[in-house]
Amino acid sequence: MNSEASATPSSDRVSELIDTHVHINFDQFDEDIDAVAAAWRSAGVVQLVHSCCHPREFSRIMALAEKFPELSVAVGMHPLEAAEWTEESATEIRELANSPKVVAIGETGLDFYHDVNQIPQQQAAFESQLLLASELNLAVIVHCRDAASQTAEILRNFQRQSSQPVRGVMHCWGGTPEETKWFLDLGFYISFSGIVTFKNAHQVQASAKMVPSDRLLVETDCPFLAPVPRRGKRNEPAYVRYVADCVAELRSVPKATLAAQTTKNARECFWPFQI
Ligand code: NI
């Protein structure tokens, strides 16, 4: 383990967690990134996966990964950037994915909540990135907003036709139990964010109760969607603890058990060759 972890007095040790989805390259962190990192370390966050919304973000994300060794990265293009998708994008992502820091392709997927004008482009970008993840044997990070049936359909076709099925995660999951089952049947992990802590998130909470323990992940998606009791504030990786504790409570399991299970699952999803 790193020196920071071993420097923590044993009485203060908390169970380890992995935040499987962060955007700490955003300018909300420009002023205090060192304090944010100190906070996640003392909260027991031992690894993080940095999502990527556009290849133009990649060099900044890699600089952060140099600075914070526990940060692994994804490379890809978000569905809301899909208007910019070209064949060259796939080539560029494939090259950037050569870095040993890269553990996933994404985030990609479909977002019909914010944008229904680019549906064919979103689908094309998603299908290309699935192919990349499969070819490169990397996880895929799937963003899905108001598009569960279309997302499941694309994944179903892909898993059926591909010589190498893709593994990955439904990130910041907001679906119903029925929708959740579609993605579980496709072999996907389901990652819960601060949404699960919101009082009225009944469907998401029902989903968090029914996911098998070996498919559960937790994330912040920071700087967005801070969990209760930080709702409305800037979100940060240390707060993944609130998400994990809420999911533990919903499932009536000890917090340490939930932390250990989600940490194991994250390693199997993103670092399967190091286990
Ligand atoms: Ni994201």
Side-chain angles (χ1 to χ4, degrees), residues 73-75 93-94 96-106 129-141 164-169 188 269-273:
V73 307
V75 59
I93 290 170
R94 185 185 282 105
L96 296 175
N98 270 326
S99 161
K101 274 282 179 183
V102 171
V103 297
I105 297 295
Q129 290 177 84
L130 288 174
L131 201 55
L132 278 173
S134 165
E135 273 175 30
L136 301 172
N137 206 356
L138 294 168
V140 64
I141 297 173
Q164 169 121 355
V166 73
R167 71 175 189 283
V169 53
F188 273 63
C269 179
F270 293 105
W271 299 272
F273 309 110

PDB file of all heavy atoms in Angstrom, residues 73-75 93-94 96-106 129-141 164-169 188 269-273:
ATOM      1  N   VAL A  73      -7.588   5.351 -15.237  1.00  0.00           N
ATOM      2  CA  VAL A  73      -8.367   6.216 -16.124  1.00  0.00           C
ATOM      3  C   VAL A  73      -9.098   5.427 -17.210  1.00  0.00           C
ATOM      4  O   VAL A  73      -8.714   4.321 -17.584  1.00  0.00           O
ATOM      5  CB  VAL A  73      -7.479   7.313 -16.769  1.00  0.00           C
ATOM      6  CG1 VAL A  73      -6.706   8.077 -15.701  1.00  0.00           C
ATOM      7  CG2 VAL A  73      -6.544   6.753 -17.790  1.00  0.00           C
ATOM      8  N   ALA A  74     -10.149   6.076 -17.690  1.00  0.00           N
ATOM      9  CA  ALA A  74     -10.878   5.605 -18.864  1.00  0.00           C
ATOM     10  C   ALA A  74     -10.602   6.584 -19.994  1.00  0.00           C
ATOM     11  O   ALA A  74     -10.222   7.729 -19.742  1.00  0.00           O
ATOM     12  CB  ALA A  74     -12.370   5.558 -18.566  1.00  0.00           C
ATOM     13  N   VAL A  75     -10.822   6.142 -21.222  1.00  0.00           N
ATOM     14  CA  VAL A  75     -10.762   7.066 -22.356  1.00  0.00           C
ATOM     15  C   VAL A  75     -11.951   6.777 -23.265  1.00  0.00           C
ATOM     16  O   VAL A  75     -12.272   5.617 -23.534  1.00  0.00           O
ATOM     17  CB  VAL A  75      -9.406   6.994 -23.096  1.00  0.00           C
ATOM     18  CG1 VAL A  75      -9.111   5.596 -23.628  1.00  0.00           C
ATOM     19  CG2 VAL A  75      -9.340   8.034 -24.199  1.00  0.00           C
ATOM     20  N   ILE A  93      -8.872   7.130 -29.773  1.00  0.00           N
ATOM     21  CA  ILE A  93      -9.135   6.464 -28.485  1.00  0.00           C
ATOM     22  C   ILE A  93      -8.306   5.177 -28.382  1.00  0.00           C
ATOM     23  O   ILE A  93      -7.727   4.879 -27.332  1.00  0.00           O
ATOM     24  CB  ILE A  93     -10.647   6.199 -28.309  1.00  0.00           C
ATOM     25  CG1 ILE A  93     -11.380   7.527 -28.105  1.00  0.00           C
ATOM     26  CG2 ILE A  93     -10.922   5.251 -27.155  1.00  0.00           C
ATOM     27  CD1 ILE A  93     -12.897   7.448 -28.154  1.00  0.00           C
ATOM     28  N   ARG A  94      -8.204   4.450 -29.492  1.00  0.00           N
ATOM     29  CA  ARG A  94      -7.424   3.211 -29.474  1.00  0.00           C
ATOM     30  C   ARG A  94      -5.968   3.499 -29.116  1.00  0.00           C
ATOM     31  O   ARG A  94      -5.353   2.785 -28.314  1.00  0.00           O
ATOM     32  CB  ARG A  94      -7.507   2.498 -30.829  1.00  0.00           C
ATOM     33  CG  ARG A  94      -6.802   1.147 -30.814  1.00  0.00           C
ATOM     34  CD  ARG A  94      -6.755   0.472 -32.168  1.00  0.00           C
ATOM     35  NE  ARG A  94      -8.010  -0.160 -32.526  1.00  0.00           N
ATOM     36  CZ  ARG A  94      -8.882   0.302 -33.417  1.00  0.00           C
ATOM     37  NH1 ARG A  94      -8.625   1.419 -34.085  1.00  0.00           N
ATOM     38  NH2 ARG A  94      -9.997  -0.337 -33.674  1.00  0.00           N
ATOM     39  N   LEU A  96      -4.763   6.201 -27.446  1.00  0.00           N
ATOM     40  CA  LEU A  96      -4.653   6.682 -26.063  1.00  0.00           C
ATOM     41  C   LEU A  96      -4.812   5.523 -25.073  1.00  0.00           C
ATOM     42  O   LEU A  96      -4.208   5.525 -23.996  1.00  0.00           O
ATOM     43  CB  LEU A  96      -5.707   7.762 -25.784  1.00  0.00           C
ATOM     44  CG  LEU A  96      -5.561   9.053 -26.594  1.00  0.00           C
ATOM     45  CD1 LEU A  96      -6.730   9.996 -26.324  1.00  0.00           C
ATOM     46  CD2 LEU A  96      -4.234   9.747 -26.289  1.00  0.00           C
ATOM     47  N   ALA A  97      -5.595   4.527 -25.467  1.00  0.00           N
ATOM     48  CA  ALA A  97      -5.847   3.389 -24.575  1.00  0.00           C
ATOM     49  C   ALA A  97      -4.610   2.517 -24.372  1.00  0.00           C
ATOM     50  O   ALA A  97      -4.617   1.611 -23.536  1.00  0.00           O
ATOM     51  CB  ALA A  97      -7.008   2.549 -25.102  1.00  0.00           C
ATOM     52  N   ASN A  98      -3.547   2.807 -25.116  1.00  0.00           N
ATOM     53  CA  ASN A  98      -2.291   2.066 -24.935  1.00  0.00           C
ATOM     54  C   ASN A  98      -1.639   2.309 -23.585  1.00  0.00           C
ATOM     55  O   ASN A  98      -0.823   1.508 -23.140  1.00  0.00           O
ATOM     56  CB  ASN A  98      -1.270   2.487 -26.006  1.00  0.00           C
ATOM     57  CG  ASN A  98      -1.385   1.611 -27.221  1.00  0.00           C
ATOM     58  OD1 ASN A  98      -1.689   0.422 -27.101  1.00  0.00           O
ATOM     59  ND2 ASN A  98      -1.151   2.196 -28.390  1.00  0.00           N
ATOM     60  N   SER A  99      -1.964   3.422 -22.963  1.00  0.00           N
ATOM     61  CA  SER A  99      -1.334   3.727 -21.674  1.00  0.00           C
ATOM     62  C   SER A  99      -1.692   2.672 -20.639  1.00  0.00           C
ATOM     63  O   SER A  99      -2.853   2.266 -20.538  1.00  0.00           O
ATOM     64  CB  SER A  99      -1.810   5.090 -21.178  1.00  0.00           C
ATOM     65  OG  SER A  99      -1.563   5.179 -19.791  1.00  0.00           O
ATOM     66  N   PRO A 100      -0.702   2.223 -19.855  1.00  0.00           N
ATOM     67  CA  PRO A 100      -1.019   1.239 -18.802  1.00  0.00           C
ATOM     68  C   PRO A 100      -1.966   1.776 -17.733  1.00  0.00           C
ATOM     69  O   PRO A 100      -2.526   1.007 -16.956  1.00  0.00           O
ATOM     70  CB  PRO A 100       0.342   0.894 -18.190  1.00  0.00           C
ATOM     71  CG  PRO A 100       1.289   1.918 -18.690  1.00  0.00           C
ATOM     72  CD  PRO A 100       0.726   2.548 -19.930  1.00  0.00           C
ATOM     73  N   LYS A 101      -2.157   3.084 -17.694  1.00  0.00           N
ATOM     74  CA  LYS A 101      -3.105   3.669 -16.726  1.00  0.00           C
ATOM     75  C   LYS A 101      -4.567   3.457 -17.150  1.00  0.00           C
ATOM     76  O   LYS A 101      -5.490   3.628 -16.355  1.00  0.00           O
ATOM     77  CB  LYS A 101      -2.853   5.178 -16.610  1.00  0.00           C
ATOM     78  CG  LYS A 101      -1.781   5.533 -15.593  1.00  0.00           C
ATOM     79  CD  LYS A 101      -2.372   5.448 -14.204  1.00  0.00           C
ATOM     80  CE  LYS A 101      -1.357   5.760 -13.128  1.00  0.00           C
ATOM     81  NZ  LYS A 101      -1.960   5.586 -11.787  1.00  0.00           N
ATOM     82  N   VAL A 102      -4.778   3.104 -18.425  1.00  0.00           N
ATOM     83  CA  VAL A 102      -6.152   2.994 -18.933  1.00  0.00           C
ATOM     84  C   VAL A 102      -6.737   1.624 -18.579  1.00  0.00           C
ATOM     85  O   VAL A 102      -6.162   0.589 -18.903  1.00  0.00           O
ATOM     86  CB  VAL A 102      -6.199   3.223 -20.458  1.00  0.00           C
ATOM     87  CG1 VAL A 102      -7.579   2.882 -21.021  1.00  0.00           C
ATOM     88  CG2 VAL A 102      -5.861   4.682 -20.776  1.00  0.00           C
ATOM     89  N   VAL A 103      -7.895   1.651 -17.901  1.00  0.00           N
ATOM     90  CA  VAL A 103      -8.565   0.408 -17.512  1.00  0.00           C
ATOM     91  C   VAL A 103      -9.956   0.280 -18.139  1.00  0.00           C
ATOM     92  O   VAL A 103     -10.619  -0.738 -17.954  1.00  0.00           O
ATOM     93  CB  VAL A 103      -8.684   0.273 -15.978  1.00  0.00           C
ATOM     94  CG1 VAL A 103      -7.302   0.193 -15.338  1.00  0.00           C
ATOM     95  CG2 VAL A 103      -9.487   1.432 -15.372  1.00  0.00           C
ATOM     96  N   ALA A 104     -10.403   1.314 -18.854  1.00  0.00           N
ATOM     97  CA  ALA A 104     -11.764   1.253 -19.395  1.00  0.00           C
ATOM     98  C   ALA A 104     -11.922   2.187 -20.586  1.00  0.00           C
ATOM     99  O   ALA A 104     -11.155   3.139 -20.762  1.00  0.00           O
ATOM    100  CB  ALA A 104     -12.780   1.645 -18.320  1.00  0.00           C
ATOM    101  N   ILE A 105     -12.933   1.882 -21.385  1.00  0.00           N
ATOM    102  CA  ILE A 105     -13.376   2.769 -22.463  1.00  0.00           C
ATOM    103  C   ILE A 105     -14.653   3.457 -21.977  1.00  0.00           C
ATOM    104  O   ILE A 105     -15.562   2.810 -21.463  1.00  0.00           O
ATOM    105  CB  ILE A 105     -13.671   1.960 -23.751  1.00  0.00           C
ATOM    106  CG1 ILE A 105     -12.407   1.280 -24.280  1.00  0.00           C
ATOM    107  CG2 ILE A 105     -14.312   2.863 -24.818  1.00  0.00           C
ATOM    108  CD1 ILE A 105     -11.304   2.207 -24.761  1.00  0.00           C
ATOM    109  N   GLY A 106     -14.691   4.777 -22.134  1.00  0.00           N
ATOM    110  CA  GLY A 106     -15.902   5.498 -21.756  1.00  0.00           C
ATOM    111  C   GLY A 106     -15.601   6.823 -21.083  1.00  0.00           C
ATOM    112  O   GLY A 106     -14.435   7.153 -20.881  1.00  0.00           O
ATOM    113  N   GLN A 129     -17.417   2.269 -29.602  1.00  0.00           N
ATOM    114  CA  GLN A 129     -16.666   2.161 -28.346  1.00  0.00           C
ATOM    115  C   GLN A 129     -16.840   0.794 -27.699  1.00  0.00           C
ATOM    116  O   GLN A 129     -15.929   0.297 -27.028  1.00  0.00           O
ATOM    117  CB  GLN A 129     -17.045   3.315 -27.410  1.00  0.00           C
ATOM    118  CG  GLN A 129     -16.498   4.642 -27.957  1.00  0.00           C
ATOM    119  CD  GLN A 129     -16.891   5.853 -27.111  1.00  0.00           C
ATOM    120  OE1 GLN A 129     -16.253   6.169 -26.119  1.00  0.00           O
ATOM    121  NE2 GLN A 129     -17.971   6.519 -27.505  1.00  0.00           N
ATOM    122  N   LEU A 130     -17.988   0.163 -27.912  1.00  0.00           N
ATOM    123  CA  LEU A 130     -18.148  -1.218 -27.439  1.00  0.00           C
ATOM    124  C   LEU A 130     -17.146  -2.135 -28.141  1.00  0.00           C
ATOM    125  O   LEU A 130     -16.508  -2.990 -27.521  1.00  0.00           O
ATOM    126  CB  LEU A 130     -19.571  -1.720 -27.716  1.00  0.00           C
ATOM    127  CG  LEU A 130     -20.684  -1.135 -26.854  1.00  0.00           C
ATOM    128  CD1 LEU A 130     -22.040  -1.627 -27.354  1.00  0.00           C
ATOM    129  CD2 LEU A 130     -20.481  -1.507 -25.389  1.00  0.00           C
ATOM    130  N   LEU A 131     -17.021  -1.900 -29.439  1.00  0.00           N
ATOM    131  CA  LEU A 131     -16.075  -2.701 -30.218  1.00  0.00           C
ATOM    132  C   LEU A 131     -14.645  -2.499 -29.711  1.00  0.00           C
ATOM    133  O   LEU A 131     -13.886  -3.462 -29.556  1.00  0.00           O
ATOM    134  CB  LEU A 131     -16.200  -2.285 -31.686  1.00  0.00           C
ATOM    135  CG  LEU A 131     -15.725  -3.254 -32.748  1.00  0.00           C
ATOM    136  CD1 LEU A 131     -16.401  -4.605 -32.616  1.00  0.00           C
ATOM    137  CD2 LEU A 131     -16.012  -2.667 -34.149  1.00  0.00           C
ATOM    138  N   LEU A 132     -14.296  -1.256 -29.423  1.00  0.00           N
ATOM    139  CA  LEU A 132     -12.956  -0.965 -28.898  1.00  0.00           C
ATOM    140  C   LEU A 132     -12.716  -1.672 -27.566  1.00  0.00           C
ATOM    141  O   LEU A 132     -11.667  -2.276 -27.347  1.00  0.00           O
ATOM    142  CB  LEU A 132     -12.797   0.547 -28.676  1.00  0.00           C
ATOM    143  CG  LEU A 132     -12.430   1.397 -29.885  1.00  0.00           C
ATOM    144  CD1 LEU A 132     -12.483   2.877 -29.505  1.00  0.00           C
ATOM    145  CD2 LEU A 132     -11.048   1.030 -30.394  1.00  0.00           C
ATOM    146  N   ALA A 133     -13.698  -1.577 -26.665  1.00  0.00           N
ATOM    147  CA  ALA A 133     -13.545  -2.206 -25.349  1.00  0.00           C
ATOM    148  C   ALA A 133     -13.350  -3.714 -25.499  1.00  0.00           C
ATOM    149  O   ALA A 133     -12.497  -4.310 -24.841  1.00  0.00           O
ATOM    150  CB  ALA A 133     -14.769  -1.914 -24.481  1.00  0.00           C
ATOM    151  N   SER A 134     -14.124  -4.289 -26.408  1.00  0.00           N
ATOM    152  CA  SER A 134     -14.031  -5.725 -26.630  1.00  0.00           C
ATOM    153  C   SER A 134     -12.668  -6.101 -27.226  1.00  0.00           C
ATOM    154  O   SER A 134     -11.987  -7.008 -26.743  1.00  0.00           O
ATOM    155  CB  SER A 134     -15.186  -6.145 -27.538  1.00  0.00           C
ATOM    156  OG  SER A 134     -14.972  -7.409 -28.063  1.00  0.00           O
ATOM    157  N   GLU A 135     -12.264  -5.374 -28.256  1.00  0.00           N
ATOM    158  CA  GLU A 135     -10.962  -5.638 -28.905  1.00  0.00           C
ATOM    159  C   GLU A 135      -9.798  -5.498 -27.939  1.00  0.00           C
ATOM    160  O   GLU A 135      -8.847  -6.276 -27.974  1.00  0.00           O
ATOM    161  CB  GLU A 135     -10.722  -4.588 -30.004  1.00  0.00           C
ATOM    162  CG  GLU A 135     -11.295  -4.900 -31.354  1.00  0.00           C
ATOM    163  CD  GLU A 135     -11.077  -3.712 -32.300  1.00  0.00           C
ATOM    164  OE1 GLU A 135     -10.084  -2.971 -32.155  1.00  0.00           O
ATOM    165  OE2 GLU A 135     -11.933  -3.535 -33.155  1.00  0.00           O
ATOM    166  N   LEU A 136      -9.853  -4.463 -27.104  1.00  0.00           N
ATOM    167  CA  LEU A 136      -8.733  -4.150 -26.215  1.00  0.00           C
ATOM    168  C   LEU A 136      -8.848  -4.858 -24.871  1.00  0.00           C
ATOM    169  O   LEU A 136      -7.979  -4.718 -24.010  1.00  0.00           O
ATOM    170  CB  LEU A 136      -8.649  -2.630 -26.001  1.00  0.00           C
ATOM    171  CG  LEU A 136      -8.464  -1.801 -27.284  1.00  0.00           C
ATOM    172  CD1 LEU A 136      -8.599  -0.308 -26.990  1.00  0.00           C
ATOM    173  CD2 LEU A 136      -7.114  -2.093 -27.922  1.00  0.00           C
ATOM    174  N   ASN A 137      -9.939  -5.616 -24.701  1.00  0.00           N
ATOM    175  CA  ASN A 137     -10.210  -6.310 -23.447  1.00  0.00           C
ATOM    176  C   ASN A 137     -10.200  -5.365 -22.243  1.00  0.00           C
ATOM    177  O   ASN A 137      -9.591  -5.635 -21.210  1.00  0.00           O
ATOM    178  CB  ASN A 137      -9.238  -7.479 -23.243  1.00  0.00           C
ATOM    179  CG  ASN A 137      -9.848  -8.553 -22.362  1.00  0.00           C
ATOM    180  OD1 ASN A 137     -10.967  -8.387 -21.850  1.00  0.00           O
ATOM    181  ND2 ASN A 137      -9.124  -9.632 -22.159  1.00  0.00           N
ATOM    182  N   LEU A 138     -10.877  -4.237 -22.417  1.00  0.00           N
ATOM    183  CA  LEU A 138     -11.053  -3.265 -21.345  1.00  0.00           C
ATOM    184  C   LEU A 138     -12.531  -3.243 -20.950  1.00  0.00           C
ATOM    185  O   LEU A 138     -13.399  -3.623 -21.749  1.00  0.00           O
ATOM    186  CB  LEU A 138     -10.648  -1.869 -21.822  1.00  0.00           C
ATOM    187  CG  LEU A 138      -9.165  -1.665 -22.142  1.00  0.00           C
ATOM    188  CD1 LEU A 138      -8.944  -0.347 -22.863  1.00  0.00           C
ATOM    189  CD2 LEU A 138      -8.317  -1.736 -20.876  1.00  0.00           C
ATOM    190  N   ALA A 139     -12.801  -2.782 -19.727  1.00  0.00           N
ATOM    191  CA  ALA A 139     -14.197  -2.586 -19.314  1.00  0.00           C
ATOM    192  C   ALA A 139     -14.781  -1.417 -20.098  1.00  0.00           C
ATOM    193  O   ALA A 139     -14.055  -0.553 -20.582  1.00  0.00           O
ATOM    194  CB  ALA A 139     -14.250  -2.292 -17.817  1.00  0.00           C
ATOM    195  N   VAL A 140     -16.113  -1.392 -20.218  1.00  0.00           N
ATOM    196  CA  VAL A 140     -16.776  -0.230 -20.820  1.00  0.00           C
ATOM    197  C   VAL A 140     -17.650   0.428 -19.746  1.00  0.00           C
ATOM    198  O   VAL A 140     -18.329  -0.249 -18.977  1.00  0.00           O
ATOM    199  CB  VAL A 140     -17.590  -0.611 -22.084  1.00  0.00           C
ATOM    200  CG1 VAL A 140     -18.749  -1.545 -21.759  1.00  0.00           C
ATOM    201  CG2 VAL A 140     -18.111   0.631 -22.793  1.00  0.00           C
ATOM    202  N   ILE A 141     -17.566   1.765 -19.688  1.00  0.00           N
ATOM    203  CA  ILE A 141     -18.380   2.535 -18.739  1.00  0.00           C
ATOM    204  C   ILE A 141     -19.568   3.093 -19.503  1.00  0.00           C
ATOM    205  O   ILE A 141     -19.389   3.899 -20.424  1.00  0.00           O
ATOM    206  CB  ILE A 141     -17.557   3.676 -18.116  1.00  0.00           C
ATOM    207  CG1 ILE A 141     -16.380   3.112 -17.311  1.00  0.00           C
ATOM    208  CG2 ILE A 141     -18.459   4.548 -17.232  1.00  0.00           C
ATOM    209  CD1 ILE A 141     -15.421   4.176 -16.804  1.00  0.00           C
ATOM    210  N   GLN A 164     -16.031 -11.654 -28.804  1.00  0.00           N
ATOM    211  CA  GLN A 164     -15.546 -11.409 -27.453  1.00  0.00           C
ATOM    212  C   GLN A 164     -16.555 -10.520 -26.717  1.00  0.00           C
ATOM    213  O   GLN A 164     -16.589  -9.307 -26.942  1.00  0.00           O
ATOM    214  CB  GLN A 164     -14.193 -10.703 -27.539  1.00  0.00           C
ATOM    215  CG  GLN A 164     -13.700 -10.157 -26.240  1.00  0.00           C
ATOM    216  CD  GLN A 164     -12.357 -10.736 -25.857  1.00  0.00           C
ATOM    217  OE1 GLN A 164     -11.829 -11.617 -26.519  1.00  0.00           O
ATOM    218  NE2 GLN A 164     -11.802 -10.269 -24.778  1.00  0.00           N
ATOM    219  N   PRO A 165     -17.415 -11.084 -25.853  1.00  0.00           N
ATOM    220  CA  PRO A 165     -18.397 -10.254 -25.153  1.00  0.00           C
ATOM    221  C   PRO A 165     -17.694  -9.176 -24.327  1.00  0.00           C
ATOM    222  O   PRO A 165     -16.556  -9.356 -23.903  1.00  0.00           O
ATOM    223  CB  PRO A 165     -19.138 -11.227 -24.247  1.00  0.00           C
ATOM    224  CG  PRO A 165     -18.646 -12.570 -24.563  1.00  0.00           C
ATOM    225  CD  PRO A 165     -17.438 -12.468 -25.419  1.00  0.00           C
ATOM    226  N   VAL A 166     -18.384  -8.073 -24.143  1.00  0.00           N
ATOM    227  CA  VAL A 166     -17.778  -6.960 -23.432  1.00  0.00           C
ATOM    228  C   VAL A 166     -18.198  -7.019 -21.961  1.00  0.00           C
ATOM    229  O   VAL A 166     -19.298  -7.463 -21.639  1.00  0.00           O
ATOM    230  CB  VAL A 166     -18.186  -5.644 -24.127  1.00  0.00           C
ATOM    231  CG1 VAL A 166     -19.633  -5.273 -23.866  1.00  0.00           C
ATOM    232  CG2 VAL A 166     -17.270  -4.502 -23.760  1.00  0.00           C
ATOM    233  N   ARG A 167     -17.294  -6.624 -21.065  1.00  0.00           N
ATOM    234  CA  ARG A 167     -17.672  -6.491 -19.647  1.00  0.00           C
ATOM    235  C   ARG A 167     -17.702  -5.005 -19.306  1.00  0.00           C
ATOM    236  O   ARG A 167     -17.021  -4.198 -19.945  1.00  0.00           O
ATOM    237  CB  ARG A 167     -16.690  -7.235 -18.726  1.00  0.00           C
ATOM    238  CG  ARG A 167     -15.346  -6.590 -18.613  1.00  0.00           C
ATOM    239  CD  ARG A 167     -14.406  -7.267 -17.612  1.00  0.00           C
ATOM    240  NE  ARG A 167     -13.233  -6.416 -17.438  1.00  0.00           N
ATOM    241  CZ  ARG A 167     -12.236  -6.321 -18.302  1.00  0.00           C
ATOM    242  NH1 ARG A 167     -12.234  -7.044 -19.412  1.00  0.00           N
ATOM    243  NH2 ARG A 167     -11.231  -5.500 -18.066  1.00  0.00           N
ATOM    244  N   GLY A 168     -18.514  -4.661 -18.323  1.00  0.00           N
ATOM    245  CA  GLY A 168     -18.560  -3.244 -17.996  1.00  0.00           C
ATOM    246  C   GLY A 168     -19.576  -2.913 -16.938  1.00  0.00           C
ATOM    247  O   GLY A 168     -20.084  -3.791 -16.234  1.00  0.00           O
ATOM    248  N   VAL A 169     -19.842  -1.619 -16.843  1.00  0.00           N
ATOM    249  CA  VAL A 169     -20.639  -1.101 -15.744  1.00  0.00           C
ATOM    250  C   VAL A 169     -21.695  -0.128 -16.247  1.00  0.00           C
ATOM    251  O   VAL A 169     -21.430   0.682 -17.136  1.00  0.00           O
ATOM    252  CB  VAL A 169     -19.713  -0.429 -14.697  1.00  0.00           C
ATOM    253  CG1 VAL A 169     -18.813   0.613 -15.329  1.00  0.00           C
ATOM    254  CG2 VAL A 169     -20.506   0.200 -13.569  1.00  0.00           C
ATOM    255  N   PHE A 188     -23.528  -7.207 -16.839  1.00  0.00           N
ATOM    256  CA  PHE A 188     -22.968  -5.932 -16.400  1.00  0.00           C
ATOM    257  C   PHE A 188     -23.005  -5.745 -14.880  1.00  0.00           C
ATOM    258  O   PHE A 188     -23.859  -6.295 -14.193  1.00  0.00           O
ATOM    259  CB  PHE A 188     -23.694  -4.765 -17.096  1.00  0.00           C
ATOM    260  CG  PHE A 188     -23.067  -4.430 -18.422  1.00  0.00           C
ATOM    261  CD1 PHE A 188     -23.064  -5.362 -19.449  1.00  0.00           C
ATOM    262  CD2 PHE A 188     -22.433  -3.213 -18.634  1.00  0.00           C
ATOM    263  CE1 PHE A 188     -22.447  -5.080 -20.664  1.00  0.00           C
ATOM    264  CE2 PHE A 188     -21.815  -2.918 -19.846  1.00  0.00           C
ATOM    265  CZ  PHE A 188     -21.831  -3.853 -20.853  1.00  0.00           C
ATOM    266  N   CYS A 269     -13.909  -5.979 -12.186  1.00  0.00           N
ATOM    267  CA  CYS A 269     -14.402  -5.290 -13.381  1.00  0.00           C
ATOM    268  C   CYS A 269     -13.263  -4.552 -14.094  1.00  0.00           C
ATOM    269  O   CYS A 269     -13.130  -4.667 -15.321  1.00  0.00           O
ATOM    270  CB  CYS A 269     -15.506  -4.316 -12.984  1.00  0.00           C
ATOM    271  SG  CYS A 269     -16.175  -3.368 -14.376  1.00  0.00           S
ATOM    272  N   PHE A 270     -12.465  -3.798 -13.360  1.00  0.00           N
ATOM    273  CA  PHE A 270     -11.503  -2.900 -14.002  1.00  0.00           C
ATOM    274  C   PHE A 270     -10.069  -3.453 -14.050  1.00  0.00           C
ATOM    275  O   PHE A 270      -9.300  -3.051 -14.908  1.00  0.00           O
ATOM    276  CB  PHE A 270     -11.495  -1.537 -13.294  1.00  0.00           C
ATOM    277  CG  PHE A 270     -12.784  -0.778 -13.466  1.00  0.00           C
ATOM    278  CD1 PHE A 270     -13.703  -0.674 -12.434  1.00  0.00           C
ATOM    279  CD2 PHE A 270     -13.094  -0.187 -14.678  1.00  0.00           C
ATOM    280  CE1 PHE A 270     -14.896   0.014 -12.596  1.00  0.00           C
ATOM    281  CE2 PHE A 270     -14.287   0.510 -14.857  1.00  0.00           C
ATOM    282  CZ  PHE A 270     -15.189   0.608 -13.811  1.00  0.00           C
ATOM    283  N   TRP A 271      -9.715  -4.325 -13.113  1.00  0.00           N
ATOM    284  CA  TRP A 271      -8.345  -4.842 -13.065  1.00  0.00           C
ATOM    285  C   TRP A 271      -8.354  -6.372 -13.017  1.00  0.00           C
ATOM    286  O   TRP A 271      -7.708  -6.967 -12.153  1.00  0.00           O
ATOM    287  CB  TRP A 271      -7.613  -4.299 -11.834  1.00  0.00           C
ATOM    288  CG  TRP A 271      -7.464  -2.814 -11.778  1.00  0.00           C
ATOM    289  CD1 TRP A 271      -6.443  -2.078 -12.327  1.00  0.00           C
ATOM    290  CD2 TRP A 271      -8.340  -1.860 -11.128  1.00  0.00           C
ATOM    291  NE1 TRP A 271      -6.643  -0.736 -12.061  1.00  0.00           N
ATOM    292  CE2 TRP A 271      -7.790  -0.567 -11.329  1.00  0.00           C
ATOM    293  CE3 TRP A 271      -9.537  -1.976 -10.401  1.00  0.00           C
ATOM    294  CZ2 TRP A 271      -8.394   0.593 -10.828  1.00  0.00           C
ATOM    295  CZ3 TRP A 271     -10.129  -0.829  -9.911  1.00  0.00           C
ATOM    296  CH2 TRP A 271      -9.568   0.444 -10.129  1.00  0.00           C
ATOM    297  N   PRO A 272      -9.060  -7.039 -13.935  1.00  0.00           N
ATOM    298  CA  PRO A 272      -9.226  -8.488 -13.800  1.00  0.00           C
ATOM    299  C   PRO A 272      -7.911  -9.255 -13.934  1.00  0.00           C
ATOM    300  O   PRO A 272      -7.835 -10.385 -13.463  1.00  0.00           O
ATOM    301  CB  PRO A 272     -10.196  -8.847 -14.936  1.00  0.00           C
ATOM    302  CG  PRO A 272     -10.025  -7.764 -15.928  1.00  0.00           C
ATOM    303  CD  PRO A 272      -9.724  -6.523 -15.136  1.00  0.00           C
ATOM    304  N   PHE A 273      -6.923  -8.631 -14.535  1.00  0.00           N
ATOM    305  CA  PHE A 273      -5.672  -9.368 -14.769  1.00  0.00           C
ATOM    306  C   PHE A 273      -4.700  -9.223 -13.618  1.00  0.00           C
ATOM    307  O   PHE A 273      -3.632  -9.812 -13.613  1.00  0.00           O
ATOM    308  CB  PHE A 273      -5.034  -8.923 -16.081  1.00  0.00           C
ATOM    309  CG  PHE A 273      -6.023  -8.974 -17.209  1.00  0.00           C
ATOM    310  CD1 PHE A 273      -6.498  -7.819 -17.790  1.00  0.00           C
ATOM    311  CD2 PHE A 273      -6.521 -10.204 -17.634  1.00  0.00           C
ATOM    312  CE1 PHE A 273      -7.450  -7.881 -18.793  1.00  0.00           C
ATOM    313  CE2 PHE A 273      -7.477 -10.264 -18.640  1.00  0.00           C
ATOM    314  CZ  PHE A 273      -7.942  -9.110 -19.219  1.00  0.00           C
TER     315      PHE A 273
END
